[in-house]
Amino acid sequence: MIVVAIDGPGGVGKSTAARGLARRLDVPHVDTGAFYRAATLAVLRAGVDPADGPGSAEVARRAVIGWRAGRALLDGEDVEDAIRGPEVTANVSAVSAHPEVRAALLERQRAGVRERGGVVEGRDAGTVVVPDADLKVWLTAAPAERARRRAGQLGRTAPGEVERLTAELAARDDADAAQMARARDAVVMATDELEASQVLDRLEAMARSAREASGRREEARG
Ligand code: DC
């Protein structure tokens, strides 16, 4: 069993890396940001003000968040597209900043790795969600590179898009700053110069040696 935490700011390639690594290791992938996104959608649908902490937490506690074939479900409905849309993206930092919302989702995030281990991605996976992870990685990339990738993902080619997305990512970094926590024992990996497959190769190699090391520790304990 192995637990890997992959954290970092938006647009550094966390999702691609975490999903790909989970597939290579044949373990679950837990996208903690998607929990916050689904809770945010529920808050907006309920007509609750995202600035209202207790109100948002109440909605989050009642929301049934699940997954089918890698797509997010809210109360049984496929909401994968909606949670990646501009309305949720514009409000998710406000909703996820409430400590009571984070408390409402934490155990559900942890449950995803309890049986078979897994790869957990987010902002605080290595510090809060799975602080005992066998491997913690903090991904970084320069703001312009993150924006360029995001533009590619979204298929936006209009002039000025990369600049606009750079500003948007910077604003979200600021809004998320309190939640972003790099574990002291995290391996920092700059992804600017790497293809996605190279990031994955490195992560897989690190994960396999972390798994061997933890196997040896378990054996030593008998
Ligand atoms: O990774 P993402 O862009 O899907 O995350 C959406 C938002 O959720 C992000 O703006 C910050 C928040 N988030 C968080 O506060 N803690 C996490 N562990 C993951 C995401």
Side-chain angles (χ1 to χ4, degrees):
M1 181 148 134
I2 183 164
V3 176
V4 180
I6 300 182
D7 290 302
V12 284
K14 286 192 303 287
S15 290
T16 307
R19 194 174 305 116
L21 182 63
R23 195 171 298 137
R24 287 193 184 185
L25 300 175
D26 192 25
V27 295
H29 165 222
V30 178
D31 178 355
T32 60
F35 278 86
Y36 290 111
R37 287 175 176 274
T40 300
L41 180 63
V43 165
L44 295 173
R45 285 182 171 179
V48 169
D49 181 354
D52 172 1
S56 296
E58 181 56 35
V59 174
R61 274 191 289 274
R62 276 201 309 266
V64 181
I65 300 167
W67 313 92
R68 189 193 303 133
R71 295 178 63 86
L73 306 176
L74 174 61
D75 301 326
E77 176 195 340
D78 184 324
V79 293
E80 182 64 26
D81 297 332
I83 67 168
R84 310 286 167 194
E87 226 199 325
V88 168
T89 300
N91 288 287
V92 65
S93 296
V95 172
S96 62
H98 301 302
E100 45 289 59
V101 170
R102 306 189 76 78
L105 298 178
L106 182 59
E107 283 311 314
R108 284 184 257 175
Q109 295 171 344
R110 285 183 176 155
V113 302
R114 202 156 284 143
E115 278 176 22
R116 298 203 295 125
V119 181
V120 185
E121 69 165 282
R123 301 292 189 285
D124 60 352
T127 49
V128 177
V129 185
V130 286
D132 297 329
D134 302 288
L135 171 67
K136 301 177 187 178
V137 182
W138 183 268
L139 297 182
T140 67
E145 176 60 19
R146 292 161 54 200
R148 207 184 54 72
R149 289 180 189 167
R150 195 39 71 85
Q153 273 168 6
L154 298 172
R156 296 204 198 149
T157 52
E161 272 301 312
V162 171
E163 291 71 18
R164 217 180 52 70
L165 285 166
T166 305
E168 202 178 288
L169 282 170
R172 206 145 66 90
D173 281 357
D174 284 347
D176 293 340
Q179 277 68 250
M180 274 206 261
R182 185 168 96 200
R184 270 185 304 148
D185 49 351
V187 178
V188 178
M189 192 193 290
T191 64
D192 307 69
E193 309 282 321
L194 300 173
E195 297 291 331
S197 64
Q198 295 175 304
V199 173
L200 261 182
D201 289 345
R202 290 183 190 195
L203 289 174
E204 185 182 2
M206 287 194 285
R208 292 195 187 281
S209 60
R211 179 152 65 185
E212 276 163 31
S214 96
R216 278 197 299 273
R217 278 197 302 274
E218 265 164 40
E219 241 169 62
R221 274 200 298 270

